[in-house]
Amino acid sequence: MLRTILIIFTACIISTCTSIPETNFSIAELASPIHPLSQLLPKDKSIPSLSILRKKTKVSGILLHHTKGLSSEEYITKSANSGWLVHYIVDKKGKIYGVEDPGTSLIKAAPKMDASMIHISWEGDKEDILKRPAQKKSVLYAIAKTSQEFGIPVTNFDVGGRSGIFTHSQAKKKFGGFLNGSDCGNENVLKALLEELKGSYFSEMEWKDRYGEWVLRKEKPFVGQNGEVKDPSYDKGRSVTPTPKAELDSIEKTADGLLLEEKRLKYNYRGAITADCVVLHFTAINDYDGTLRVLEKRNLAATFLADKDGKIYQLLDSPLHMAAAATGTNRNCFQIEIVGKDTEMLLANPAQTAAVSKLVYELCQKYQIPLNNERIESLKGVFSHTQAKKKWGGSIFLDAQDFDPGEPYMKKVIETLGGTYYSEKDWYDRHGEEWILLFTDFQP
């Protein structure tokens, strides 16, 4: 009798651990036939050539993708030709294509997640699937079947723990390893699916440790020890500390050699830099004073700010004070912000570009900084904020495109000064794995 009770108790524990919460449909009611994914592959590609064996026990999560408007055939072809794949794809009509034994197949779709994920993609873009009942039902089935088979929690709370059901976008923000920072998988779609499966959906602000060690971090500018919101406070800069003397020829100063008080920034001291490199940014704001307000509100800082009229102002008390502007470079670099809405606006302003070039040259001469942008990981040279983002991430506004301040602008400044400019494909180890943003033609 006792043995029977133990068997029943054990069975209940196993059932609890390996099943999903009760859904609005049984698995049988959701069930759809699964067709071989190989039917969609190019003739020169195969599942074995795009996967490696893994133990089923390694599977702990599901990653949801969509095709960004491509047809299923186009999406799988582009993925396979770039060395990627997904385990399941559901077309617009609800037809499911899948790998025969997804648990034993490790395929590449999301670096730092692949070893423990089953990748499920749906044909369409944004929230298209919510308008297609047949497709939605099939995706629900693929998720429910996978969740039940591998004991995956029906929640998106802890992507860092790799246990649950997540969009590719959430994985990108946590771990990086992506080509394009735009939406993939769609949070509203995931929310609808998890709610239908009676799981637990968490919005971005509720994701576990969202302000912590994420590649794309949420900013939390002024908070107390317990996370409470505080009024902004500063210990350096305009109206807080005495106006210092200017140390560089290239920046604006008063008749007696002081920085211009009204052009300075209120900021918090973060330490000193080692003066090894220069990073150029553009503000995306067409206004000097507006830029100061945004930096102060976000508790960010730059070392210098170049106005549209070609005048450059030092924002910090010392050029060797650390600015908070570009993850991975702050402890080593001078940060130069350039007022302008976009790259074209910067390139159309020769007076401003000449002033920025003059400052860059003075810094490089004074601190023996190389006039090239080949190896950002060396922190020796002149780099764009975009290059720093692609190497280390950091900015929640990162969208994986060239925009800050634009590589054509970097080329103009570096070559004007007699330096050597390297295009992205020639950046050191650009095809290596130690970049947050990949250098590839396509990614699922």
Side-chain angles (χ1 to χ4, degrees), residues 189-259:
V189 169
L190 180 60
K191 182 176 188 290
L193 297 174
L194 291 185
E195 287 177 350
E196 192 132 0
L197 293 168
K198 294 189 177 178
S200 299
Y201 175 80
F202 293 84
S203 64
E204 181 166 354
M205 302 302 288
E206 300 171 307
W207 293 342
K208 185 177 179 181
D209 192 32
R210 185 63 186 96
Y211 292 106
E213 295 301 314
W214 288 62
V215 165
L216 298 187
R217 292 190 301 277
K218 273 286 188 186
E219 294 170 2
K220 209 170 188 179
F222 294 99
V223 293
Q225 290 183 345
N226 299 317
E228 70 276 14
V229 178
K230 294 172 56 179
D231 290 332
S233 59
Y234 313 94
D235 56 30
K236 298 287 182 185
R238 185 182 75 254
S239 74
V240 180
T241 48
T243 308
K245 283 206 167 190
E247 301 176 31
L248 298 167
D249 294 334
S250 305
I251 61 173
E252 297 299 310
K253 55 188 74 69
T254 65
D256 51 357
L258 299 178
L259 301 179

Side-chain angles (χ1 to χ4, degrees), residues 288-329:
Y288 185 100
D289 292 334
T291 298
L292 290 186
R293 288 192 296 271
V294 169
L295 290 173
E296 290 171 358
K297 181 180 179 181
R298 294 172 61 191
N299 199 19
L300 300 177
T303 322
F304 308 99
L305 182 54
D307 208 348
K308 292 181 293 184
D309 60 5
K311 294 180 179 179
I312 299 181
Y313 303 93
Q314 182 178 306
L315 300 184
L316 309 184
D317 288 3
S318 165
L320 295 177
H321 282 185
M322 187 189 305
T327 296
T329 69

Side-chain angles (χ1 to χ4, degrees), residues 137-424:
K137 180 181 175 183
S138 292
V139 171
L140 280 168
Y141 172 64
I143 293 173
K145 175 179 179 295
T146 302
S147 179
Q148 185 177 65
E149 181 178 355
F150 297 99
I152 296 169
V154 187
T155 175
N156 68 327
F157 175 61
D158 184 15
V159 70
R162 298 174 173 83
S163 180
I165 303 169
F166 314 100
T167 64
H168 194 189
S169 294
Q170 187 175 357
K172 290 173 180 181
K173 290 177 180 180
K174 176 63 179 178
F175 297 110
F178 51 96
L179 167 67
N180 189 305
S182 62
D183 166 72
C184 185
N186 193 280
E187 291 300 320
N188 287 338
V189 169
L190 180 60
K191 182 176 188 290
L193 297 174
L194 291 185
E195 287 177 350
E196 192 132 0
L197 293 168
K198 294 189 177 178
S200 299
Y201 175 80
F202 293 84
S203 64
E204 181 166 354
M205 302 302 288
E206 300 171 307
W207 293 342
K208 185 177 179 181
D209 192 32
R210 185 63 186 96
Y211 292 106
E213 295 301 314
W214 288 62
V215 165
L216 298 187
R217 292 190 301 277
K218 273 286 188 186
E219 294 170 2
K220 209 170 188 179
F222 294 99
V223 293
Q225 290 183 345
N226 299 317
E228 70 276 14
V229 178
K230 294 172 56 179
D231 290 332
S233 59
Y234 313 94
D235 56 30
K236 298 287 182 185
R238 185 182 75 254
S239 74
V240 180
T241 48
T243 308
K245 283 206 167 190
E247 301 176 31
L248 298 167
D249 294 334
S250 305
I251 61 173
E252 297 299 310
K253 55 188 74 69
T254 65
D256 51 357
L258 299 178
L259 301 179
L260 277 74
E261 178 66 15
E262 69 277 11
K263 299 293 187 179
R264 297 170 66 210
L265 178 76
K266 292 181 182 179
Y267 67 102
N268 289 296
Y269 182 68
R270 295 173 169 86
I273 66 171
T274 55
D276 299 316
C277 62
V278 178
V279 176
L280 301 186
H281 312 245
F282 83 100
T283 63
I285 299 171
N286 195 25
D287 176 68
Y288 185 100
D289 292 334
T291 298
L292 290 186
R293 288 192 296 271
V294 169
L295 290 173
E296 290 171 358
K297 181 180 179 181
R298 294 172 61 191
N299 199 19
L300 300 177
T303 322
F304 308 99
L305 182 54
D307 208 348
K308 292 181 293 184
D309 60 5
K311 294 180 179 179
I312 299 181
Y313 303 93
Q314 182 178 306
L315 300 184
L316 309 184
D317 288 3
S318 165
L320 295 177
H321 282 185
M322 187 189 305
T327 296
T329 69
N330 290 326
R331 293 188 180 278
N332 302 77
C333 297
F334 300 102
Q335 308 285 344
I336 303 176
E337 285 277 3
I338 308 160
V339 175
K341 284 189 173 181
D342 51 37
T343 305
E344 289 68 29
M345 186 172 178
L346 267 58
L347 288 171
N349 191 335
Q352 186 187 51
T353 304
V356 170
S357 300
K358 181 181 177 183
L359 174 58
V360 170
Y361 186 78
E362 182 177 2
L363 292 171
C364 290
Q365 290 294 304
K366 182 171 182 176
Y367 296 100
Q368 298 183 318
I369 297 171
L371 265 169
N372 72 74
N373 67 326
E374 182 185 17
R375 302 185 60 150
I376 193 165
E377 73 289 337
S378 72
L379 294 168
K380 299 282 187 181
V382 180
F383 308 104
S384 67
H385 191 193
T386 297
Q387 190 171 354
K389 288 174 177 178
K390 290 183 176 182
K391 183 66 178 178
W392 291 296
S395 172
I396 192 64
F397 301 107
L398 178 67
D399 68 0
Q401 306 303 312
D402 168 27
F403 67 99
D404 188 10
E407 291 306 309
Y409 187 83
M410 294 301 301
K411 178 178 170 66
K412 184 174 184 65
V413 169
I414 291 174
E415 291 185 347
T416 294
L417 299 176
T420 304
Y421 172 79
Y422 292 83
S423 62
E424 182 170 356

